[in-house]
Amino acid sequence: MPDAPAVPGRDPRRLRNLALLGPAGAGKTTLTEALLHAAGAVARSGRVEDGDTVSDFTPEEKHHGHSLDAALLHAEHNGRLLQLIDTPGTPDLLGHALAVLPAVETAAVVVHAGRGVEPVARHAMAFAARRNLCRMVVVTHLDAADPVPLLTQLRDAFGRACLPLNLPADGGARVVDCFAQSDGDSDLGPVADHHTAIVEQVVELDDELMDTYLEQGDVLRPEQLHEPFEAALREGHLIPVVFTAARPESGGEPVGVRELLDVIATLCPDPTEGNPRPFVRGKVGDLDLDPTHEFHATPDPDAHVLAHVFHIRIDPYTGKRVVLRVHQGTVAPGGQLFVDDPEAGESKRPIKVPHLHRLQGAEAHEIDAAGPGEWVALMKTDELHFDAVLHDSHDEDHLHLRPLELPEPMASLALTPQRRGDEQKLADALQRLADEDPTCRVTRDPSTHETVVHGLGDLHLRAILEKLEHHHHVAVASKPPRVAYRETIRAAAKGHHRHKKQTGGAGQFGEVHLEVEPLERGAGFEFVDRTVGGSIPKPLIPAIEKGVRRALEHGFLAGYPLQDLRVTVTDGKHHPVDSKEIAFVTAGERAFRDAVAKARPTLLEPIVEIEVTVPNGCLGEVTGDLSTKRGRVVSTDFLGDDRAVVVAHAPQAELTAYPSQLKAMTAGRGVYAARPAGHEPVPDHAARSIIDTHRSAHHES
């Protein structure tokens, strides 16, 4: 691999930003350690089993023996600053891995040669493609399997664009370059064959170079191929494959690690060559309405600043550590930036830039400035949240990165503090955890009165509970949460109530006639005033709505909120002296309940759309299991590589343990994504049980 040309210090062309993605056990952390050691960034390679790696530095990661969060690392090689992210690989922690992708130009999907292409690798590759990232495959443990069927499997899974840049040779004892040279033999056949394949793939995107190649044959120099190589990466026309063995099974020195460093430094795109991240102007709710509001940052250190928060870690001792990717301009300590925060709905909130740090796992090294493409950590910045955008322009506001499509948290636990008086402490701790984890969601449902934490699976929830106990010193009791049912009506009906109260002094009087009618599912609640002739004075109409809304919140059948209905006030009476607001609040509430009782009220349950990807051999068991959960299969597609995708709608109440059940049914090879799909009526037999339980509890209380 030729040496890269020299680049000035702050020039973004000196940077290479790469995230290592892939399943747990594929060897990402071991490979990262070998890369850092080979580049001279660390004195020795740490070992996961010894708990001394740079990436896995928290007590929980050392205890479990695998990554629980993304770790940011860097090394200098061949005049380039390589910024690397080692990500967790278990499906339950996939959100931590996907959330950092806005910070990189290249997603490197790591595949264990002995295990082949696992579901997490497929998911990571597909997500990176949707985010328009350049992609590559890094094969680890190259001496653990025959590379010939493995390369076939890679192409079946990720497409014919998967072509090797280097090849294992001598039974995996070394690798040989097949991009810059064509001599020799390898475990995958003649080097010349693979050299020709990758050169032809690259020149396809450059007509002039293609003509030269066809006329003169294989006389192209590597530097002639650099620009079309980058274009092929950007367009997904090429997915390079490199082979490594960071810790060979036979012992000895790492294989392919220095060659991988050369590939990253010489061939991976810099911030001026990769596909730029899409920013959007507009309020959060309008982001998907007008694609013409999209724009791209310019990696110019002299332009105005545009930076994005892509990672947060909260330490119980040092506080909140926020990491930015600078996309444009130069950030320096002491300057002022404005924050566009989609979570808080705020625009142009000013902050003063504190000291800047570059991270090496747990260590933070202070730097004087950060230019385009650089990652920089800001300490103790409580006002910043994940996905916030920072800029220094007085003329801009409502700037956001195009939202990430992260997995929907589907596993959940209801939490209560074990010590009385710790309620606020628990709430504060959960808020901090949600701040640093974009796939951790905390809710407080008014109908169940439970604090519920939502995650991607059992392991994710266990990690959250461990952080609560060890980092925030909050002991909690956990249990499956109650399902947040809703209520609605199935027919139109009329209601009436006259509220009359005389206590010797000024009395209360209000009479309300109203109608209720069902709306389509998901429509919510509408309130309409159709009174005429001053039967109810207009200033008292809001009091009726207030009473109706109070009744909505408390439900009719089982204490769950009512939704998807319209209330129309049609008539009423008032008294010139006794008609006060409180009278019409009461009359409105009771007239509404009178109407609902006649409108065939029913319970609704939350429905989830679940997309499950499984091996073909598990398809029957998975679809049968969904049927037992009252699920309806919407579609089944076969992907052509011994996998099938099942899309189904099922009640949320039936899926509380689904992550662990799917893992058991598919031996860990099944993955799923879930999203809310509205509400549907609860079957009568189940509804009766829910209503009886509520009334029994209400009677006892």
Side-chain angles (χ1 to χ4, degrees):
M1 198 71 63
D3 289 343
V7 175
R10 190 108 276 150
D11 194 319
R13 292 176 298 170
R14 74 188 179 101
L15 299 171
R16 301 293 184 270
N17 298 321
L18 181 141
L20 294 167
L21 309 167
K28 298 185 299 297
T29 298
T30 299
L31 176 62
T32 301
E33 290 290 314
L35 289 169
L36 294 178
H37 178 57
V42 298
R44 57 178 291 273
S45 293
R47 297 167 60 93
V48 172
E49 54 268 37
D50 295 339
D52 60 356
T53 65
V54 180
S55 297
D56 297 345
F57 55 83
T58 67
E60 292 82 10
E61 288 174 320
K62 294 178 181 181
H63 171 72
H64 289 291
H66 59 77
S67 302
L68 297 175
D69 197 355
L72 278 65
L73 314 153
H74 66 275
E76 296 271 356
H77 180 72
N78 200 11
R80 300 293 183 261
L81 175 62
L82 280 50
Q83 299 187 128
L84 309 173
I85 306 180
D86 180 20
T87 66
T90 61
D92 288 6
L93 301 174
L94 196 57
H96 286 287
L98 303 180
V100 300
L101 292 187
V104 302
E105 279 73 46
T106 304
V109 176
V110 178
V111 174
H112 188 298
R115 299 180 180 180
V117 181
E118 299 177 75
V120 169
R122 297 176 189 271
H123 191 80
M125 183 67 80
F127 189 92
R130 291 197 298 271
R131 296 299 293 183
N132 206 23
L133 292 171
C134 300
R135 293 164 288 154
M136 66 186 298
V137 175
V138 178
V139 176
T140 58
H141 303 83
L142 69 85
D143 53 345
D146 183 351
V148 175
L150 175 64
L151 187 57
T152 300
Q153 186 183 12
L154 290 174
R155 289 174 174 169
D156 288 342
F158 304 140
R160 305 303 295 176
C162 287
L163 295 173
L165 283 180
N166 59 30
L167 305 166
D170 300 337
R174 64 188 180 95
V175 297
V176 293
D177 177 25
C178 64
F179 177 66
Q181 61 96 29
S182 58
D183 298 331
D185 205 355
S186 76
D187 297 343
L188 283 164
V191 173
D193 293 347
H194 295 278
H195 173 77
T196 299
I198 195 166
V199 170
E200 290 181 350
Q201 187 82 354
V202 168
V203 300
E204 281 183 2
L205 298 181
D206 188 315
D207 292 340
E208 184 176 340
L209 203 60
M210 172 66 87
D211 291 340
T212 301
Y213 177 76
L214 293 175
E215 291 172 6
Q216 303 179 16
D218 189 10
V219 296
L220 299 175
R221 301 182 307 278
E223 53 268 27
Q224 289 179 280
L225 295 171
H226 182 82
E227 287 190 15
F229 185 94
E230 301 300 331
L233 287 178
R234 285 193 297 272
E235 296 186 21
H237 189 67
L238 174 64
I239 301 174
V241 179
V242 294
F243 290 86
T244 68
R247 194 188 300 166
E249 295 189 358
S250 58
E253 293 297 312
V255 177
V257 172
R258 289 192 177 276
E259 290 81 356
L260 176 56
L261 281 174
D262 290 338
V263 167
I264 297 172
T266 307
L267 295 177
C268 282
D270 64 49
T272 70
E273 294 171 323
N275 291 318
R277 301 300 89 217
F279 285 85
V280 198
R281 293 182 179 91
K283 295 184 178 180
V284 175
D286 301 329
L287 287 184
D288 294 323
L289 300 182
D290 190 353
T292 62
H293 292 173
E294 186 170 295
F295 69 99
H296 296 137
T298 302
D300 179 357
D302 297 321
H304 76 79
V305 172
L306 193 60
H308 172 252
V309 176
F310 71 91
H311 187 255
I312 290 176
R313 191 186 286 265
I314 299 177
D315 186 271
Y317 304 106
T318 61
K320 192 173 187 177
R321 188 180 73 188
V322 173
V323 188
L324 313 175
R325 154 76 188 249
V326 181
H327 290 266
Q328 179 177 292
T330 301
V331 176
Q336 177 178 272
L337 294 177
F338 299 107
V339 183
D340 273 310
D341 190 342
E343 179 178 309
E346 295 181 347
S347 176
K348 295 189 72 170
R349 174 164 42 88
I351 67 164
K352 183 178 179 180
V353 180
H355 293 288
L356 308 178
H357 296 83
R358 179 168 291 132
L359 299 179
Q360 188 75 293
E363 298 179 2
H365 307 283
E366 190 167 347
I367 58 176
D368 60 354
E374 291 187 74
W375 306 339
V376 59
L378 312 181
M379 307 300 186
K380 299 180 180 179
T381 47
D382 291 339
E383 62 269 36
L384 294 180
H385 297 276
F386 174 77
D387 213 25
V389 168
L390 291 85
H391 60 90
D392 62 356
S393 173
H394 290 272
D395 301 324
E396 295 273 18
D397 62 0
H398 293 302
L399 300 180
H400 313 286
L401 202 68
R402 178 64 66 180
L404 286 167
E405 299 173 359
L406 295 176
E408 182 72 20
M410 199 168 127
S412 54
L413 286 173
L415 305 181
T416 54
Q418 292 185 351
R419 292 186 295 267
R420 293 189 62 182
D422 272 2
E423 288 79 9
Q424 188 58 49
K425 189 176 181 181
L426 172 61
D428 293 342
L430 288 173
Q431 182 58 56
R432 294 190 191 100
L433 292 175
D435 280 349
E436 67 177 347
D437 183 348
T439 52
C440 168
R441 194 172 72 241
V442 180
T443 59
R444 175 76 181 179
D445 194 286
S447 62
T448 63
H449 307 291
E450 290 180 326
T451 297
V452 180
V453 60
H454 307 263
L456 298 184
D458 294 341
L459 176 60
H460 191 191
L461 292 176
R462 287 202 303 272
I464 290 170
L465 295 180
E466 287 180 0
K467 284 187 176 182
L468 281 174
E469 182 178 358
H470 299 145
H471 288 199
H472 302 284
H473 309 293
V474 182
V476 297
S478 62
K479 64 178 181 180
R482 294 172 59 199
V483 176
Y485 294 101
R486 295 292 184 263
E487 300 180 15
T488 192
I489 57 174
R490 291 175 286 184
K494 296 180 179 180
H496 162 255
H497 184 77
R498 172 182 287 191
H499 176 69
K500 185 175 182 180
K501 185 176 182 182
Q502 197 70 38
T503 57
Q508 296 179 12
F509 179 83
E511 184 173 346
V512 173
H513 294 261
L514 54 75
E515 298 175 355
V516 296
E517 56 184 309
L519 298 177
E520 63 182 13
R521 199 68 64 236
F525 167 67
E526 292 181 16
F527 182 84
V528 180
D529 171 25
R530 285 197 188 147
T531 58
V532 295
S535 57
I536 302 175
K538 294 301 180 184
L540 292 173
I541 295 297
I544 301 174
E545 182 177 359
K546 182 178 180 180
V548 169
R549 288 186 177 275
R550 190 160 69 183
L552 283 172
E553 292 175 5
H554 291 93
F556 183 82
L557 293 172
Y560 295 102
L562 281 148
Q563 65 180 40
D564 302 338
L565 54 87
R566 178 186 292 121
V567 174
T568 303
V569 181
T570 57
D571 200 2
K573 292 181 181 179
H574 74 285
H575 187 277
V577 175
D578 294 343
S579 287
K580 302 176 179 65
E581 179 179 326
I582 184 62
F584 278 90
V585 169
T586 303
E589 179 178 4
R590 294 180 180 176
F592 173 73
R593 294 185 66 83
D594 178 50
V596 168
K598 308 168 188 172
R600 296 171 57 207
T602 188
L603 277 179
L604 298 174
E605 61 183 345
I607 301 297
V608 171
E609 180 179 271
I610 185 167
E611 180 180 291
V612 191
T613 304
V614 297
N616 286 346
C618 302
L619 180 60
E621 185 177 1
V622 168
T623 55
D625 177 70
L626 287 170
S627 296
T628 67
K629 292 175 165 49
R630 296 191 283 125
R632 301 190 311 276
V633 174
V634 177
S635 64
T636 302
D637 293 318
F638 294 92
L639 301 181
D641 56 354
D642 192 38
R643 291 184 308 142
V645 177
V646 180
V647 178
H649 288 177
Q652 179 186 323
E654 301 284 349
L655 298 174
T656 53
Y658 195 71
S660 56
Q661 292 170 352
L662 178 65
K663 189 178 299 183
M665 282 187 289
T666 64
R669 293 179 294 166
V671 295
Y672 72 90
R675 60 190 66 85
H679 288 76
E680 294 182 4
V682 179
D684 288 343
H685 67 280
R688 282 194 297 272
S689 174
I690 296 167
I691 294 168
D692 291 344
T693 300
H694 167 76
R695 290 178 176 171
S696 175
H698 188 71
H699 177 74
E700 291 176 2
S701 62

